[in-house]
Amino acid sequence: MKKALLKLVIVLAALVYCAGALAQVAAPATNQAPSSRPSGSFSPHDLNGLWMTASGLTAGQQLVDPNAHPPFTPWGQMRFDMSFPSLGPRDVAGKENDPILRCDPDGVPKILGSPHPFEIFMLPDRMLQIFEKHHDWREIWTDGRGLPKDPPELTWNGYSVGKWEGDTFVVDSVGFNDVPWLDYYGDPHSDEMRLTEYYKRVDANTLSISVTIDDPKAYKSVWVGKPHLFTLKPKWALQEYYCINEELNSYDRDIRIPSGVDGGKPNTKADTAKDGKN
């Protein structure tokens, strides 16, 4: 009896050992610790991680150059003339009407150039972008679907699909509403904009993003942006950052009212929205 029990214990121990060994053999390489990779190595098709614009905490470093935009169409010129940015030579204290001043989302590509980090998660059927600013998020489909010919609704971040072309991840997007600006300087876009983004892993710590804007309603030709670099921040975490009404009230109290705009009367949220639609 004792010999039978001893034999059973030995057999069970062998089975457990073999199962563990098989599990180690079958485990995919992606489950290995990052430290197992040689220093400086990376996969060009791996965009996962938390990224921060390489220009640092300097506002206004955008993916489109406001000094190099194509000629406006009449519609584009009208919308540009209606904008009063918070940066640059067209800034009029107290009259700024960037949609973000009423807590509207930045939209893309503007939020990509914001001096705040964002995180990329690559899933089997999509890529997710989570932005620290206003805790915005975006979904880019990679399951082979195409862009809708007639988007069911117009949204802040549009409808996006992505695919690999060599080592460049190309994202095409349509279906944007026309509220956000393209940059901090008041350059508009319409609901006809088609945005193309190009993501390329330059090295282990650097990501390059460039954009092309095709918006015949706002511009007379295609707007091609230069590559913008982002740095991997593996030890960072996204922080809480929301746009709240108290911030708007502080702006009215500290800037808009003292400037004497609108006769020195407070500019309400409704007034700000009206300014953006005149």
Side-chain angles (χ1 to χ4, degrees), residues 144-164:
R145 71 181 67 186
L147 288 173
K149 294 182 179 180
D150 186 15
E153 60 178 329
L154 301 178
T155 60
W156 300 97
N157 291 327
Y159 189 98
S160 304
V161 299
K163 63 179 180 179
W164 287 100

Side-chain angles (χ1 to χ4, degrees), residues 72 74-84 90 97 186 188:
F72 291 116
W75 183 93
Q77 186 69 59
M78 174 193 68
R79 291 295 294 265
F80 180 74
D81 292 342
M82 288 165 44
S83 66
F84 294 94
R90 300 174 60 241
N97 61 359

Side-chain angles (χ1 to χ4, degrees), residues 94-273:
K95 199 172 182 179
E96 300 94 334
N97 61 359
D98 189 324
I100 62 173
L101 294 178
R102 57 177 184 259
C103 290
D104 286 347
D106 263 328
V108 285
K110 184 181 178 185
I111 197 169
L112 289 169
S114 173
H116 305 277
F118 64 91
E119 195 160 5
I120 290 178
F121 299 89
M122 301 191 73
L123 306 178
D125 63 342
R126 74 196 78 178
M127 183 173 88
L128 292 180
Q129 291 179 327
I130 310 297
F131 299 93
E132 180 178 90
K133 188 176 184 182
H134 300 176
H135 281 216
D136 198 359
W137 67 281
R138 182 186 181 205
E139 196 170 50
I140 300 169
W141 294 99
T142 59
D143 56 1
R145 71 181 67 186
L147 288 173
K149 294 182 179 180
D150 186 15
E153 60 178 329
L154 301 178
T155 60
W156 300 97
N157 291 327
Y159 189 98
S160 304
V161 299
K163 63 179 180 179
W164 287 100
E165 294 183 0
D167 289 339
T168 301
F169 186 66
V170 181
V171 180
D172 282 312
S173 305
V174 295
F176 298 95
N177 68 45
D178 64 3
V179 178
W181 297 347
L182 291 173
D183 51 37
Y184 287 101
Y185 299 94
D187 289 301
H189 72 76
S190 78
D191 54 4
E192 295 181 10
M193 176 177 73
R194 177 164 180 161
L195 175 69
T196 305
E197 302 155 72
Y198 303 90
Y199 294 73
K200 186 174 179 62
R201 190 80 179 265
V202 177
D203 55 40
N205 298 306
T206 310
L207 176 67
S208 170
I209 305 178
S210 61
V211 301
T212 297
I213 296 164
D214 186 1
D215 189 349
K217 186 175 178 179
Y219 301 95
K220 294 182 178 180
S221 60
V222 175
W223 191 350
V224 179
K226 295 181 179 179
H228 194 84
L229 297 181
F230 297 80
T231 303
L232 182 66
K233 299 291 185 180
K235 296 183 179 180
W236 285 22
L238 298 182
Q239 303 298 305
E240 183 175 273
Y241 181 168
Y242 293 103
C243 186
I244 57 176
N245 285 333
E246 177 56 31
E247 293 178 354
L248 302 179
N249 294 336
S250 296
Y251 176 78
D252 282 344
R253 182 178 62 249
D254 299 335
I255 303 296
R256 195 182 303 278
I257 297 174
S259 72
V261 173
D262 294 332
K265 297 179 180 179
N267 212 12
T268 66
K269 190 172 181 178
D271 293 331
T272 305

